[in-house]
Amino acid sequence: MMGQKINPLGFRLGTTQSHDSLWFAQPTNYSENIQEDKKIRDFIKNYIQKNIRVSSGVEGIGQIKIQKRIDLIQVIIYMGFPKLLIEGKPQKIEELQMNMQKKLNYVNRKLNIAIARVENAYKHPNILAEFIAGQLKNRVSFRKAMKKAIELTEQAGTKGVQIQIAGRIDGKEIARVEWIREGRVPLQTIRAKIDYCCYTVRTIYGVLGIKVWIFLNKE
């Protein structure tokens, strides 16, 4: 038997990890609610991609939390570099709110978007994966990109990090998987707070998958 892989976030639900969406729904509308959450998250990501010309290639969205009540949908965007969205144009958020309300046609529900800043952006696997993706798109060699990413997480003060890249690395004919680990990443320990993300990056050779595990601390 080969070791079975489980998503580290779902594995830790209820101990060190909580849900990204908080709402209650009857079984009949449950699937609609999940699809709605996906639409909200995708819409925000697309909007930020379109409206921010990012120099480093990092949009810096750590996570998007959604809380729903009968009359209100509260969305909190955790960003590593919120000034990218806010600076110069404070009405950007209102614009996002308006567009989203139109797109998802909420009539009797209010939509409220807040932005929270993530301390130490590179502690967030999403932001780190975005950084690596940006490097790979600019044809930096994957090993260099991984090493740089590991440096960034170590500066942010983590206990350990593991990065895996799979696909046609450096445009080679045969796809392969390369990974690198620094520090401790105890995936079997449920009490260990591990943050994880899986990110797809489209390069000119094809699609690469990036996975990032970051060991934050023992609860």
Side-chain angles (χ1 to χ4, degrees), residues 29-155:
N29 337 350
Y30 192 84
S31 55
E32 286 167 26
N33 268 304
I34 289 185
Q35 283 164 352
E36 187 182 61
D37 279 9
K38 175 129 180 61
K39 274 184 197 156
I40 290 174
R41 291 197 168 97
D42 289 348
F43 188 86
I44 290 173
K45 281 174 187 162
N46 291 339
Y47 179 86
I48 287 181
Q49 258 167 3
K50 281 191 192 118
N51 284 288
I52 301 179
R53 286 281 159 264
V54 190
S55 50
S56 63
V58 177
E59 289 118 42
I61 302 178
Q63 60 188 143
I64 299 171
K65 289 204 167 182
I66 301 174
Q67 294 167 3
K68 293 184 188 170
R69 294 212 295 270
I70 293 171
D71 52 349
L72 175 74
I73 296 180
Q74 168 80 33
V75 180
I76 305 172
I77 308 173
Y78 289 88
M79 290 188 77
F81 317 102
K83 60 174 184 290
L84 290 176
L85 185 58
I86 299 164
E87 95 182 333
K89 293 183 179 167
Q91 68 270 26
K92 270 261 161 76
I93 298 174
E94 278 126 56
E95 191 187 311
L96 172 61
Q97 238 161 296
M98 291 288 294
N99 290 351
M100 206 142 108
Q101 235 154 351
K102 268 185 209 140
K103 174 100 169 61
L104 301 169
N105 55 34
Y106 292 137
V107 187
N108 45 7
R109 300 173 87 176
K110 196 175 173 311
L111 184 70
N112 187 8
I113 296 179
I115 287 188
R117 186 165 181 279
V118 177
E119 287 299 318
N120 292 349
Y122 291 110
K123 264 189 180 179
H124 246 285
N126 275 342
I127 297 172
L128 199 69
E130 267 175 16
F131 168 79
I132 298 170
Q135 299 278 310
L136 292 175
K137 274 184 184 161
N138 298 336
R139 305 206 200 175
V140 175
S141 91
F142 76 97
R143 248 192 204 102
K144 226 179 202 166
M146 281 170 152
K147 292 250 169 70
K148 184 83 186 88
I150 280 184
E151 258 171 52
L152 287 169
T153 34
E154 284 185 334
Q155 284 162 14

Side-chain angles (χ1 to χ4, degrees), residues 122-125 128 146 149-163 179-187 192-197 211-218:
Y122 291 110
K123 264 189 180 179
H124 246 285
L128 199 69
M146 281 170 152
I150 280 184
E151 258 171 52
L152 287 169
T153 34
E154 284 185 334
Q155 284 162 14
T158 55
K159 292 266 190 71
V161 55
Q162 179 175 329
I163 298 168
W179 62 274
I180 185 171
R181 185 194 296 139
E182 197 63 53
R184 287 176 60 220
V185 186
L187 293 176
K193 178 135 180 67
I194 289 183
D195 215 346
Y196 162 82
C197 100
K211 287 183 177 178
V212 181
W213 293 261
I214 295 180
F215 176 31
L216 296 169
N217 62 336
K218 194 99 170 252

Side-chain angles (χ1 to χ4, degrees), residues 191-210:
R191 280 172 322 190
K193 178 135 180 67
I194 289 183
D195 215 346
Y196 162 82
C197 100
C198 172
Y199 191 89
T200 315
V201 47
R202 292 162 186 274
T203 62
I204 51 172
Y205 317 112
V207 175
L208 294 181
I210 302 174

